[in-house]
Amino acid sequence: MERSTRYAILLHLPGDHGAEAVRNALTATVATLPSHLARSLTWDQGSEMGRHHEFTLATDIPVYFCDPASPWQRGSDENTNSLLRQYFPKGTDPSVHTPEHLAAVADQPNRRPRKTLGWETPAERPHKLLTA
């Protein structure tokens, strides 16, 4: 069975972290991705995704939510979060970083080999599937 490829994305939210700001930033960010990388979005429970229906209407990308207090449902997310903590320790204010810096940091986990992908990287997997 083919595993889905999960890609790390960091949003630049310099001021507002509310549902409208997250929807706008997420919509703009996924517009920069190749369509084969933007098939669905999995999110933790949180009010910042209160406008997920509008995001789905604007992008045609469905949003799935994990059950509350069920971190095992987000294994890849938890792993990615721990990788990103190398760059942003807990308590770091990511809003002080530029969008370019956030994109460069988000790219690091995407270029790291994953056992679940047969030691390919999330960046390599779509290319391999498209050229096969």
Side-chain angles (χ1 to χ4, degrees), residues 48-88:
E48 70 276 1
M49 282 302 284
R51 297 190 134 176
H52 65 92
H53 292 301
E54 296 169 12
F55 168 79
T56 297
L57 286 173
T59 62
D60 202 30
I61 298 172
V63 178
Y64 299 97
F65 292 94
C66 299
D67 293 323
S70 302
W72 60 88
Q73 293 178 350
R74 328 179 317 124
S76 291
D77 294 340
E78 294 294 333
N79 182 52
T80 301
N81 288 343
S82 70
L83 295 175
L84 293 173
R85 289 278 175 236
Q86 297 172 13
Y87 303 92
F88 305 110

Side-chain angles (χ1 to χ4, degrees), residues 10-25:
L10 293 174
L11 301 177
H12 187 248
L13 299 167
D16 184 14
H17 299 109
E20 185 174 357
V22 170
R23 180 209 58 211
N24 293 343

